[in-house]
Amino acid sequence: MKLPRFILGDNTDYPESIFIIHTEFPRFIIDLKTDDIEWFEDFDVENEEELVEETNNLIKEASEFYDREVDRYQ
C-alpha cells in the first residue's frame, strides 16, 4: 500500500490538538497546537545539525499540508 506523505489526525482524548503524521523517513507525529514532535526514528548525535535543519523544513511542510487540507474542507 502506498501511503500519503502526510496524514491529518485527531483524537478525542486530546480535543484541542491536531496531529500531522509524516509517513516517510524521518517518521514523526507533530502536535500543531504545541509543536511537540514524537519521532519514530533513532538519530545519531553526529547528525544533529542536519536533523535540526530537516526538522524545520518538515514542520513548515506539515503546516502547509494542514492549511491546504483545511482550505479544501471550506
Side-chain angles (χ1 to χ4, degrees):
M1 167 178 28
K2 175 115 172 84
L3 295 175
R5 186 170 182 216
F6 292 104
I7 298 172
L8 183 63
D10 65 355
N11 186 301
T12 57
D13 292 333
Y14 303 92
E16 300 296 317
S17 294
I18 297 171
F19 301 98
I20 302 294
I21 300 98
H22 184 250
T23 62
E24 298 175 356
F25 184 85
R27 296 170 303 144
F28 65 87
I29 295 177
I30 183 171
D31 181 340
L32 291 180
K33 179 180 185 238
T34 63
D35 288 336
D36 288 340
I37 297 177
E38 182 69 31
W39 297 98
F40 296 116
E41 315 291 353
D42 293 322
F43 299 102
D44 296 331
V45 176
E46 62 192 39
N47 297 333
E48 185 174 348
E49 184 176 320
E50 182 179 326
L51 176 62
V52 168
E53 183 178 331
E54 183 66 15
T55 299
N56 289 334
N57 292 335
L58 290 171
I59 290 171
K60 181 179 182 248
E61 289 179 36
S63 294
E64 289 170 354
F65 165 77
Y66 173 74
D67 291 341
R68 188 191 78 203
E69 291 297 299
V70 169
D71 285 345
R72 288 179 176 178
Y73 282 110
Q74 297 176 3

